[in-house]
Amino acid sequence: MRALLDILAQVFRSIGANKLRSFLTMFGIAWGVASLLLLVGLGEGFRSGQRRGLAQLGTDVIMIWGGTIPAMPNQHTGMRPYKLTLDDADAIRTQAPHVRNATAFINRGDLKEVSEFSSSGGSVMGVEVNYPEVRHLPIAQGRFLNADDLAQRRMVVVLGQKNNKLLFPGRPSLGAFITINGYRFQVIGVAEKIGRGNNDGDNQRIYLPLSTMVELFPMTGDNIPEDSISSIQYQPLTPDMNETAKAEVHRIVGQRHGFDPNTKDAFDEWDTIKSERTVGLIFTAMDVFLGGVGIVTLALGAVGIINIMLVTVTERTKEIGLRKALGATSRSILTQFFLEGLLLTGMSGIIGILGAAGLMVVLRAGMGNNQMGFDPPRLVPWSAAMALGTLTLCGIVAGLYPAIQAANMEPVEALRKE
């Protein structure tokens, strides 16, 4: 134990005797480690932000809208438009075994909402009771629509968070009344804020019973059914069954509207499950690339440490010869130079990891969680583990090779070296 402490003392004296060289060597390694962790952390921030953004829409949601039917496959002449209907939604719920939930709604942005205090122009949505089960819509005050509201076509609304502030600035809204294109509705609930940043589209909506919407504010246009709706949004039984569920929905819609369900151009849809997977693959590839770049950077830093240690061995050749002539063993010489290389690498890596973690904490405190599509970078455990593992390997190589060179010196030849 005493011998090991003496060797460590010699290692630190050697590092301290060449302060500038040691600093520059350690800075290169620390910079490489910090860069690796920051780049991977930024990538994970984007990945997390995208996931959070999709989660604001709902869980495992597939959205389908009315589309156009080409006269012939892969041709875009003589296109015939079609609208989805309430019967389509009912058919999907009863005839698609791999769909666990489906909801229909009408969305109109040309209606005028007025309270006794102010007015607003956000979109008005006629929705079903199960809308919050498919789409993300938490309620902050009051309640959401229920089955009686739809069955009795009640004149009630739920306000989005931003619309609540616009229509009732600084005043209570529950139980109050608004008019939509002259029709009087009572406020029964207020939704929580949805999304982050300045994206207030979802927060400027007003929700009323779909049955009331069909009666008072149906879809407008020429030659469309009376029960036309804007969209049907559904969830597969499990995320892995998204393609099976889509095939079933395509078959139902195609049969009901008289076209081949294999005509992909006839469907206007968005599969958020597929989008999330694609985003995940992109960021996984980015992480692999950045991890590879980081490993190469650390390997180059290890080469630099090997060069520095070889220079150190050359400079201290006579010292090594003298120590061996006085009885120092090859093992003690090897241990000293090995520990010196390992300590240089290890301390550099720890400084890099702590520096990156500190910078991420500062960025998180400064940015918060309000940036749309982007979360603050965070220290990813696997990247830190990879950095430590690579540093350990580099430190062993960087310390062992020069140490072997020093330990193999013959005392007489070392003393004669100029």
Side-chain angles (χ1 to χ4, degrees), residues 56-372:
Q56 293 293 329
L57 295 174
T59 304
D60 304 333
V61 182
I62 302 174
M63 310 176 184
I64 184 170
W65 297 269
T68 53
I69 306 165
M72 296 183 64
N74 300 320
Q75 290 191 3
H76 299 279
T77 57
M79 305 288 282
R80 175 172 65 87
Y82 71 92
K83 291 287 186 182
L84 297 175
T85 66
L86 288 173
D87 287 340
D88 293 336
D90 291 336
I92 289 172
R93 280 189 278 258
T94 57
Q95 300 175 26
H98 290 89
V99 173
R100 74 173 188 265
N101 205 350
T103 191
F105 64 80
I106 294 175
N107 184 8
R108 289 189 56 176
D110 58 344
L111 306 179
K112 187 69 173 180
E113 308 101 41
V114 180
S115 71
E116 60 180 308
F117 308 106
S118 182
S119 63
S120 175
S123 62
V124 176
M125 295 185 64
V127 299
E128 296 181 297
V129 176
N130 66 340
Y131 181 84
E133 299 172 10
V134 179
R135 296 292 299 269
H136 179 68
L137 186 63
I139 300 298
Q141 304 174 42
R143 65 172 178 87
F144 192 67
L145 308 173
N146 58 33
D148 291 337
D149 295 330
L150 269 76
Q152 300 174 24
R153 295 184 174 85
R154 290 175 177 171
M155 308 285 279
V156 293
V157 295
V158 175
L159 300 180
Q161 186 261 356
K162 183 67 176 291
N163 248 343
N164 181 56
K165 291 182 178 179
L166 292 174
L167 293 172
F168 297 93
R171 295 174 173 85
S173 57
L174 288 183
F177 291 87
I178 65 171
T179 60
I180 303 176
N181 275 26
Y183 292 95
R184 193 166 181 259
F185 290 81
Q186 186 176 25
V187 178
I188 61 170
V190 178
E192 289 184 6
K193 179 178 174 62
I194 303 173
R196 296 175 294 164
N198 296 321
N199 185 6
D200 284 327
D202 289 340
N203 296 308
Q204 285 190 256
R205 289 177 175 169
I206 291 179
Y207 305 89
L208 54 89
L210 180 57
S211 55
T212 307
M213 189 81 174
V214 171
E215 181 179 358
L216 300 180
F217 313 115
M219 296 284 291
T220 58
D222 298 328
N223 301 320
I224 63 173
E226 292 183 357
D227 63 344
S228 294
I229 54 178
S230 301
S231 176
I232 299 172
Q233 308 198 348
Y234 59 95
Q235 299 165 308
L237 284 177
T238 65
D240 293 336
M241 294 182 178
N242 63 319
E243 294 297 335
T244 303
K246 282 196 293 185
E248 293 174 351
V249 170
H250 289 180
R251 173 181 55 78
I252 293 169
V253 173
Q255 289 176 351
R256 294 183 56 80
H257 292 272
F259 64 88
D260 184 359
N262 294 317
T263 306
K264 299 298 182 183
D265 293 338
F267 297 99
D268 182 11
E269 62 185 353
W270 180 27
D271 183 351
T272 64
I273 302 171
K274 186 176 181 180
S275 296
E276 183 174 358
R277 289 174 185 162
T278 302
V279 170
L281 288 173
I282 291 172
F283 285 111
T284 297
M286 183 185 298
D287 288 344
V288 171
F289 172 75
L290 293 175
V293 171
I295 290 175
V296 171
T297 302
L298 294 179
L300 292 175
V303 171
I305 290 183
I306 292 173
N307 288 332
I308 292 299
M309 293 304 299
L310 288 173
V311 170
T312 302
V313 170
T314 302
E315 289 178 346
R316 298 166 62 185
T317 298
K318 297 185 73 171
E319 175 195 335
I320 293 169
L322 181 60
R323 289 180 58 196
K324 297 191 75 173
L326 293 174
T329 63
S330 296
R331 182 177 179 180
S332 66
I333 299 295
L334 186 147
T335 302
Q336 177 183 342
F337 283 90
F338 173 71
L339 287 177
E340 187 171 334
L342 192 61
L343 280 173
L344 280 173
T345 308
M347 288 191 299
S348 304
I350 292 173
I351 291 171
I353 292 173
L354 293 177
L359 183 56
M360 290 180 191
V361 170
V362 172
L363 289 174
R364 183 175 293 276
M367 295 171 58
N369 290 314
N370 295 318
Q371 302 299 315
M372 287 304 298

Side-chain angles (χ1 to χ4, degrees), residues 33-44:
V33 172
S35 298
L36 166 64
L37 298 182
L38 283 171
L39 288 173
V40 173
L42 287 169
E44 287 300 307

